[in-house]
Amino acid sequence: MKKQFAVMGLGGFGESVARELMRLGHEVLGVDIDENKANQLADHLTQTVIADATDDSALKEMDLHRFDATLVAIGENIEASILCTMHLKSLHAKEVWVKAITPTHHKIAEKLGADRIFHPEYEMGLRVAQTMAHPNMLDYIALGDNCFVIEVRPGEVLEDRPFSDLKIDPEKVRLLAIKHGNSVTFQPTPDYRLRRNDHLVLLGEEKALRHFTERL
Ligand code: ATP
């Protein structure tokens, strides 16, 4: 279903979110105080507006309450981000998502009622560190309680061998799926033969996953 989103601030982060939402088939209104930023994206988003997102009368004209979610992607200017968030909440914007850059910024956004708060640089830093430390891990989701879902690329030594050769202990590590390009095989049978470029999607505790993937 096509949704409508608004993005306040079209810097690197706001722009990538806005473009991806368009690619996913949604409508996106992009707002930036900088004329060049707004104009650069005019042909790529549904609509762009040159406006100060801290100006409540400018925001009011955008009827933001009809959008499914509004992202505040103004980072460096914390004051502007806070003011914009405050106005969006008083204008009853449905879902207000905020990019925060410091713990204080996070706390204020939370107090103002932001529905979701991101720390893209910090979160990306953790991701990069994880993939540097575990180079065959392509992606992961932290589920909490030290449990993770990870996507790993096994070594070529496993090619054309049944996945039962992996000797997975299901008490510790679960094989959820095998990804091959865009196709996904859920819970493959033990006789499934691993192919070149297959990726394993595994669930387990960090220590068990680390032990298991070190053998791959
Ligand atoms: P990013 O980290 O996303 O690359 P940046 O570091 O380039 O961003 P920021 O200061 O976080 O820049 O601002 C992001 C965008 O928000 C910029 O394009 C900036 O012009 C815009 N912006 C800043 N203040 C406002 C405001 N009051 N109203 C609307 N847009 C704003």
Side-chain angles (χ1 to χ4, degrees), residues 9-14 31-34 37 51-54 73-77 80 99:
L10 300 169
F13 178 65
V31 178
D32 205 289
I33 198 166
D34 179 340
K37 290 267 170 71
D52 181 353
T54 65
I74 304 165
E76 293 307 313
N77 186 346
K99 166 188 161 173

Side-chain angles (χ1 to χ4, degrees), residues 142-175:
L143 302 177
D145 204 16
N146 215 18
C147 269
F148 290 82
V149 173
I150 64 170
E151 178 180 343
V152 285
R153 179 177 36 205
E156 280 169 21
V157 68
L158 289 166
E159 231 175 273
D160 203 34
R161 284 176 44 193
F163 107 74
S164 54
D165 277 13
L166 292 171
K167 307 249 181 303
I168 295 180
D169 175 355
E171 293 296 312
K172 293 187 174 149
V173 172
R174 294 271 166 93
L175 177 68

Side-chain angles (χ1 to χ4, degrees), residues 11-193:
F13 178 65
E15 177 180 346
S16 66
V17 174
R19 281 182 182 266
E20 181 64 4
L21 287 169
M22 290 295 293
R23 197 188 64 80
L24 293 170
H26 302 296
E27 290 184 1
V28 181
L29 163 70
V31 178
D32 205 289
I33 198 166
D34 179 340
E35 190 181 339
N36 292 332
K37 290 267 170 71
N39 288 343
Q40 272 165 21
L41 285 175
D43 293 339
H44 303 283
L45 307 184
T46 313
Q47 193 187 354
T48 55
V49 172
I50 305 158
D52 181 353
T54 65
D55 176 354
D56 58 344
S57 51
L59 292 177
K60 205 168 179 183
E61 280 179 25
M62 296 174 205
D63 288 334
L64 290 161
H65 55 86
R66 66 189 167 85
F67 287 76
D68 293 281
T70 302
L71 172 70
V72 182
I74 304 165
E76 293 307 313
N77 186 346
I78 297 180
E79 194 178 307
S81 164
I82 291 167
L83 266 177
C84 177
T85 306
M86 194 178 83
H87 292 323
L88 290 172
K89 288 308 289 186
S90 37
L91 290 168
H92 305 293
K94 270 185 213 150
E95 283 275 317
V96 180
W97 294 22
V98 177
K99 166 188 161 173
I101 59 160
T102 66
T104 310
H105 189 180
H106 183 118
K107 272 191 204 148
I108 298 172
E110 203 169 30
K111 276 266 179 232
L112 292 173
D115 299 279
R116 267 183 90 164
I117 304 164
F118 300 92
H119 296 263
E121 289 190 358
Y122 172 74
E123 285 154 16
M124 187 45 96
L126 295 189
R127 240 162 226 285
V128 171
Q130 289 284 353
T131 37
M132 282 171 90
H134 311 290
N136 66 350
M137 184 175 75
L138 302 167
D139 207 353
Y140 73 96
I141 305 170
L143 302 177
D145 204 16
N146 215 18
C147 269
F148 290 82
V149 173
I150 64 170
E151 178 180 343
V152 285
R153 179 177 36 205
E156 280 169 21
V157 68
L158 289 166
E159 231 175 273
D160 203 34
R161 284 176 44 193
F163 107 74
S164 54
D165 277 13
L166 292 171
K167 307 249 181 303
I168 295 180
D169 175 355
E171 293 296 312
K172 293 187 174 149
V173 172
R174 294 271 166 93
L175 177 68
L176 301 180
I178 290 186
K179 265 180 77 177
H180 190 89
N182 283 329
S183 75
V184 177
T185 308
F186 287 108
Q187 297 183 324
T189 55
D191 58 350
Y192 176 97
R193 298 192 92 79

